[in-house]
Every structure is written in C-alpha cells, then in structure tokens.
Amino acid sequence: MPVAGPRQRAPLIKWGWDVARVSGEHRVYDIHKVYSKGRHSLHQQITPAPSTMTGSIALVLLVLLPLVRGQVPHWGPCPEPITQADFSIKQFAGRWYEIAKLPAQFEKGRCIETNFTVKADNSVHIVSSEILRGELRKIEGFGITEDPKNPAKLGITFSYVLPYTPYWILSTDYVNTAVVYSCTDILRLFHVEFAWVLSRARAPPAGTLEKADEVFAKNSIDVTQMINTRQQGC
C-alpha cells in the first residue's frame, strides 16, 4: 500500500471531542486536532452540558468502539513505562521479525516483519508485511521521534488521515531483540494496549520471551494474553 511521501516533522496529533458550537438547545460536537509537544496518547475531552452528557458519551463510544475491538483494554489511564536509555534510531533501523504480541485487530497473519529506514530528516520510513490467507500483504507508514529528550518514544502512522500513535521501545540490544509497547487513553476511563517482542531472526535467541516478560513485568504491563506469531513456512 504505497504512500505518497513522509509527513513533515510536526508536533504529534491528538484527537479529542469538544463542544464546537452551542446555539439554543442545539449543541454540535466535532472532532478536532489538538497539537501538543508532550506525551502522545488519545486524551479525550468531553464538555457538554449535563443534559446532554449521556448522549455525548454514547456518541463517542460508538465512534471509538471499532478502534478497540479485538484489542486488550484496561481500566484507567496508560502507564508510564521506562524506555530504552540512550536510544539510537539508526542502530534500531533495519528488519525486525515479530515473535509475539498482544492481540491486535490489524495483525492476523503469519510471517509478520517490519523494516525501518531512517531518512535524511531523521524521520522513519516503515514497511510492514504479513502473509494472510496465502497472500503477501504490505503496508507503508512513517514514524517520528515524539520527544527529542526521549528518542525511544516514537510516533508512527500508516495513514495520512490518522494521527500518530505511540511506539515506544522499552528495551533493545539492537542486534538480537527488542521489546515495544504502545498505549492509547480513551476518555481517561480506560486504555488500549499493544505490545510486541521483536527479533532480528525468525528464530529468536533462547530466553527471548522470558527476558521480554521481565521487561513488561518491571513496568507493570500485563502480557498474560500475549500470543506467539508464526514465523515458519515464510
């Protein structure tokens, strides 16, 4: 799925609900883009009058439920995990094979791999692929550093109409394995998590999953629902 070209480097985009106009008894709600330089997650803001609160929340949930179907939701806001110290995107670049993940609606195939290429402006070109029902499928996206003071916190997107989403490298040795985490707040009531264990080889070094579990546990991230990705017959 080719994409025209990388986005310009800009503050990350958040989506929120807000009151756009109030005219008599008619209240109009709209989705707007909020730019921030801080931590990127989908902090939602709902500010209708009490008489419309129930209907507004229902409307928001109708919009958001398709986004979380098949994912792993948890109550409360996203955690703040510790990321890889002194992270280098240039060392991280290259091909990574997915070894295990929390269930993700957008990943259902086997032989999943992602190739990261650092561009001249330090943005990242991303190509992910999987084999689904015997067909090789590819998708292209782009990534940027979310916080220059913490380069292990990336924001990635695979569409010009969708905001960047967190892609945080919790741990990596660059040459063998990497542990990656993503989290999105919804209404500040619950959050949806993604997590991946990556390897430079389809057959990871011994103890890879055990070490990844230790990283997740240290950051209080529940990965009991993590499933292995098939990397045979590719």
XYZ file of all heavy atoms in Angstrom, residues 168-217:
399
model
N 6.777 2.811 21.528
C 7.849 3.042 22.494
C 8.738 1.808 22.624
O 8.245 0.704 22.894
C 7.269 3.396 23.857
C 6.520 4.697 23.867
C 6.379 5.582 22.838
C 5.817 5.259 24.973
N 5.630 6.658 23.229
C 5.268 6.490 24.528
C 5.589 4.842 26.285
C 4.509 7.307 25.356
C 4.841 5.657 27.111
C 4.310 6.881 26.650
N 10.031 2.002 22.440
C 10.985 0.902 22.592
C 11.381 0.844 24.063
O 12.096 1.713 24.571
C 12.212 1.098 21.692
C 11.815 0.945 20.214
C 13.273 0.054 22.023
C 11.160 2.115 19.587
N 10.904 -0.185 24.746
C 11.197 -0.334 26.170
C 12.601 -0.882 26.393
O 13.266 -0.522 27.365
C 10.172 -1.255 26.829
C 8.698 -0.859 26.701
C 7.835 -1.773 27.574
C 8.471 0.595 27.078
N 13.011 -1.771 25.497
C 14.326 -2.394 25.662
C 14.792 -2.957 24.324
O 13.984 -3.500 23.555
C 14.243 -3.519 26.701
O 15.480 -4.200 26.812
N 16.061 -2.817 24.022
C 16.631 -3.439 22.831
C 18.149 -3.520 22.958
O 18.777 -2.653 23.588
C 16.264 -2.659 21.550
O 16.784 -3.354 20.412
C 16.826 -1.251 21.578
N 18.714 -4.558 22.357
C 20.173 -4.647 22.247
C 20.607 -4.381 20.808
O 21.780 -4.513 20.467
C 20.682 -6.017 22.721
C 20.124 -7.167 21.887
O 19.400 -6.912 20.892
O 20.397 -8.337 22.241
N 19.625 -4.041 19.943
C 19.806 -3.667 18.550
C 20.181 -4.826 17.633
O 19.825 -4.807 16.457
C 20.863 -2.557 18.409
C 20.537 -1.304 19.177
C 21.217 -0.992 20.358
C 19.548 -0.433 18.740
C 20.920 0.165 21.064
C 19.243 0.725 19.451
C 19.930 1.016 20.611
O 19.623 2.159 21.323
N 20.892 -5.816 18.126
C 21.403 -6.887 17.252
C 20.612 -8.182 17.380
O 20.716 -9.068 16.522
C 22.896 -7.174 17.536
C 23.732 -5.951 17.205
C 23.103 -7.585 18.982
N 19.813 -8.315 18.429
C 19.058 -9.559 18.611
C 17.563 -9.326 18.829
O 16.741 -9.836 18.055
C 19.616 -10.359 19.806
C 20.982 -10.932 19.537
O 21.171 -11.661 18.559
N 21.950 -10.615 20.387
N 17.200 -8.571 19.868
C 15.788 -8.468 20.235
C 15.400 -7.038 20.603
O 16.250 -6.190 20.880
C 15.462 -9.378 21.436
O 16.272 -8.991 22.556
C 15.732 -10.833 21.098
N 14.085 -6.814 20.618
C 13.533 -5.531 21.044
C 12.167 -5.775 21.673
O 11.429 -6.683 21.268
C 13.407 -4.570 19.864
N 11.848 -4.973 22.673
C 10.551 -5.036 23.360
C 9.865 -3.691 23.141
O 10.412 -2.644 23.492
C 10.724 -5.315 24.868
C 9.368 -5.345 25.562
C 11.471 -6.629 25.083
N 8.676 -3.719 22.553
C 7.993 -2.494 22.129
C 6.608 -2.431 22.765
O 5.930 -3.454 22.933
C 7.874 -2.446 20.593
C 7.187 -1.156 20.143
C 9.244 -2.567 19.950
N 6.179 -1.205 23.081
C 4.885 -1.008 23.761
C 4.162 0.198 23.166
O 4.792 1.178 22.745
C 5.128 -0.783 25.248
C 3.885 -0.498 26.070
C 2.960 -1.505 26.330
C 3.657 0.765 26.601
C 1.823 -1.258 27.094
C 2.533 1.017 27.371
C 1.623 0.002 27.614
O 0.500 0.253 28.372
N 2.836 0.112 23.127
C 2.010 1.222 22.682
C 0.754 1.260 23.529
O 0.213 0.209 23.899
C 1.630 1.062 21.200
O 0.796 2.123 20.779
N 0.288 2.471 23.842
C -0.906 2.595 24.676
C -1.685 3.842 24.269
O -1.097 4.889 23.985
C -0.526 2.682 26.151
S -1.944 2.694 27.273
N -3.006 3.721 24.252
C -3.892 4.820 23.904
C -4.938 4.998 24.987
O -5.655 4.050 25.317
C -4.587 4.558 22.556
O -3.606 4.470 21.525
C -5.559 5.675 22.221
N -5.017 6.209 25.539
C -6.072 6.539 26.506
C -7.371 6.826 25.768
O -7.369 7.494 24.736
C -5.707 7.791 27.305
C -4.670 7.515 28.379
O -4.580 6.363 28.811
O -3.970 8.456 28.785
N -8.470 6.354 26.306
C -9.791 6.642 25.737
C -10.676 7.202 26.833
O -11.010 6.499 27.800
C -10.427 5.381 25.113
C -9.539 4.894 23.964
C -11.838 5.675 24.610
C -10.007 3.646 23.300
N -11.016 8.472 26.693
C -11.888 9.164 27.642
C -11.310 9.241 29.051
O -12.015 9.582 29.992
C -13.269 8.499 27.708
C -14.051 8.395 26.399
C -15.356 7.661 26.637
C -14.310 9.767 25.820
N -10.030 8.895 29.183
C -9.399 8.834 30.510
C -10.079 7.808 31.411
O -9.832 7.761 32.612
C -9.416 10.204 31.190
C -8.670 11.285 30.433
C -7.202 11.008 30.345
N -6.553 11.125 31.638
C -5.300 10.753 31.863
N -4.604 10.209 30.886
N -4.773 10.906 33.059
N -10.926 6.964 30.820
C -11.615 5.935 31.594
C -10.909 4.591 31.460
O -10.843 3.826 32.416
C -13.075 5.792 31.125
C -13.973 7.018 31.320
C -15.356 6.752 30.707
C -14.104 7.356 32.798
N -10.419 4.299 30.271
C -9.690 3.051 30.060
C -8.667 3.274 28.958
O -8.657 4.309 28.291
C -10.633 1.886 29.735
C -11.386 2.025 28.446
C -10.947 1.414 27.290
C -12.567 2.758 28.396
C -11.640 1.527 26.099
C -13.285 2.881 27.214
C -12.823 2.266 26.061
N -7.782 2.308 28.814
C -6.756 2.416 27.790
C -6.625 1.109 27.039
O -6.987 0.041 27.532
C -5.404 2.828 28.386
C -4.862 1.870 29.402
N -5.193 1.914 30.733
C -3.987 0.835 29.283
C -4.562 0.960 31.389
N -3.813 0.296 30.528
N -6.126 1.207 25.826
C -5.926 0.048 24.959
C -4.428 -0.115 24.721
O -3.743 0.845 24.359
C -6.658 0.221 23.621
C -6.386 -0.965 22.711
C -8.157 0.380 23.854
N -3.940 -1.314 24.950
C -2.505 -1.584 24.874
C -2.146 -2.467 23.687
O -2.923 -3.331 23.273
C -2.035 -2.289 26.146
C -2.110 -1.447 27.397
C -1.622 -2.207 28.606
O -2.012 -3.372 28.776
O -0.842 -1.625 29.375
N -0.970 -2.236 23.173
C -0.326 -3.126 22.216
C 1.085 -3.389 22.726
O 1.692 -2.521 23.361
C -0.261 -2.497 20.823
C -1.595 -2.128 20.246
C -2.078 -0.836 20.387
C -2.363 -3.059 19.589
C -3.305 -0.478 19.864
C -3.589 -2.714 19.064
C -4.077 -1.431 19.201
N 1.592 -4.551 22.458
C 2.955 -4.881 22.877
C 3.515 -5.921 21.911
O 2.781 -6.803 21.438
C 2.975 -5.408 24.313
N 4.788 -5.796 21.619
C 5.431 -6.709 20.687
C 6.806 -7.125 21.208
O 7.508 -6.345 21.842
C 5.638 -6.036 19.334
C 4.385 -5.597 18.649
C 3.608 -6.314 17.775
C 3.762 -4.303 18.739
N 2.551 -5.550 17.334
C 2.612 -4.320 17.909
C 4.060 -3.139 19.453
C 1.772 -3.216 17.774
C 3.225 -2.037 19.327
C 2.096 -2.083 18.496
N 7.163 -8.352 20.892
C 8.525 -8.838 21.092
C 9.093 -9.070 19.698
O 8.523 -9.842 18.907
C 8.562 -10.133 21.920
C 10.008 -10.605 22.089
C 7.893 -9.930 23.271
N 10.195 -8.403 19.379
C 10.783 -8.468 18.049
C 12.151 -9.126 18.093
O 12.840 -9.098 19.117
C 10.926 -7.054 17.463
C 9.685 -6.164 17.483
C 10.028 -4.796 16.882
C 8.529 -6.807 16.741
N 12.535 -9.689 16.946
C 13.851 -10.322 16.840
C 14.431 -10.045 15.463
O 13.687 -9.854 14.491
C 13.727 -11.838 17.064
O 14.970 -12.488 16.823
N 15.744 -10.029 15.380
C 16.405 -9.859 14.083
C 16.325 -11.140 13.251
O 16.600 -11.116 12.047
C 17.866 -9.474 14.284
C 18.088 -8.083 14.854
C 17.682 -6.978 13.908
N 18.166 -5.670 14.369
C 17.891 -4.520 13.774
N 17.110 -4.501 12.709
N 18.375 -3.379 14.247
N 15.969 -12.246 13.895
C 15.875 -13.529 13.199
C 14.492 -14.125 13.424
O 13.848 -13.866 14.442
C 16.947 -14.487 13.699
N 14.025 -14.916 12.475
C 12.706 -15.556 12.637
C 12.711 -16.519 13.818
O 11.683 -16.718 14.475
C 12.312 -16.293 11.355
C 12.080 -15.364 10.165
C 11.436 -16.097 9.006
N 11.398 -15.280 7.798
C 10.471 -14.373 7.521
N 9.487 -14.181 8.391
N 10.517 -13.673 6.408
N 13.864 -17.107 14.101
C 14.018 -17.966 15.277
C 14.841 -17.183 16.297
O 16.060 -17.045 16.143
C 14.710 -19.269 14.903
N 14.212 -16.647 17.330
C 14.917 -15.764 18.270
C 15.878 -16.535 19.169
O 15.764 -17.758 19.334
C 13.780 -15.155 19.087
C 12.708 -16.202 19.065
C 12.789 -16.826 17.698
N 16.826 -15.841 19.768
C 17.744 -16.480 20.715
C 16.981 -17.078 21.896
O 15.884 -16.611 22.251
C 18.644 -15.328 21.168
C 18.532 -14.303 20.084
C 17.146 -14.425 19.552
N 17.543 -18.092 22.498
C 16.916 -18.724 23.658
C 16.709 -17.707 24.775
O 17.576 -16.862 25.032
C 17.788 -19.887 24.148
N 15.573 -17.787 25.422
C 15.287 -16.908 26.541
C 14.724 -15.550 26.162
O 14.489 -14.705 27.039
N 14.485 -15.324 24.859
C 13.993 -14.020 24.413
C 12.668 -13.652 25.062
O 12.495 -12.544 25.582
C 13.844 -13.993 22.878
O 15.132 -14.106 22.277
C 13.174 -12.709 22.420
N 11.707 -14.568 25.047
C 10.383 -14.271 25.592
C 10.440 -14.095 27.105
O 9.733 -13.250 27.663
C 9.401 -15.378 25.213
C 9.089 -15.497 23.709
C 8.125 -16.646 23.450
C 8.507 -14.189 23.178
N 11.274 -14.889 27.765
C 11.397 -14.760 29.222
C 11.952 -13.389 29.603
O 11.468 -12.739 30.534
C 12.297 -15.865 29.774
C 11.682 -17.268 29.728
C 11.713 -17.897 28.348
O 12.340 -17.295 27.438
O 11.123 -18.976 28.181
N 12.966 -12.928 28.863
C 13.548 -11.622 29.145
C 12.545 -10.505 28.846
O 12.480 -9.501 29.560
C 14.824 -11.431 28.329
C 15.962 -12.350 28.755
C 17.197 -12.143 27.888
C 18.318 -13.088 28.304
N 19.524 -12.930 27.429
N 11.759 -10.671 27.782
C 10.742 -9.678 27.452
C 9.686 -9.612 28.549
O 9.239 -8.520 28.931
C 10.095 -10.020 26.114
N 9.296 -10.770 29.066
C 8.315 -10.801 30.160
C 8.828 -10.028 31.371
O 8.060 -9.347 32.066
C 8.006 -12.249 30.558
C 7.102 -12.946 29.545
O 6.498 -12.235 28.721
O 7.015 -14.189 29.589
N 10.119 -10.123 31.632
C 10.710 -9.394 32.766
C 10.612 -7.887 32.552
O 10.343 -7.128 33.491
C 12.169 -9.817 32.945
C 12.344 -11.260 33.397
C 13.806 -11.661 33.485
O 14.677 -10.794 33.221
O 14.099 -12.830 33.802
N 10.818 -7.448 31.303
C 10.716 -6.014 30.994
C 9.287 -5.534 31.199
O 9.043 -4.490 31.814
C 11.165 -5.740 29.545
C 10.899 -4.276 29.171
C 12.639 -6.073 29.367
N 8.322 -6.297 30.706
C 6.919 -5.916 30.869
C 6.522 -5.907 32.348
O 5.845 -4.992 32.815
C 6.012 -6.869 30.089
C 6.111 -6.717 28.594
C 6.388 -7.814 27.784
C 5.920 -5.476 28.002
C 6.465 -7.679 26.413
C 6.002 -5.328 26.619
C 6.278 -6.429 25.821
N 6.946 -6.930 33.070
C 6.600 -7.018 34.491
C 7.190 -5.849 35.271
O 6.533 -5.288 36.161
C 7.089 -8.349 35.075
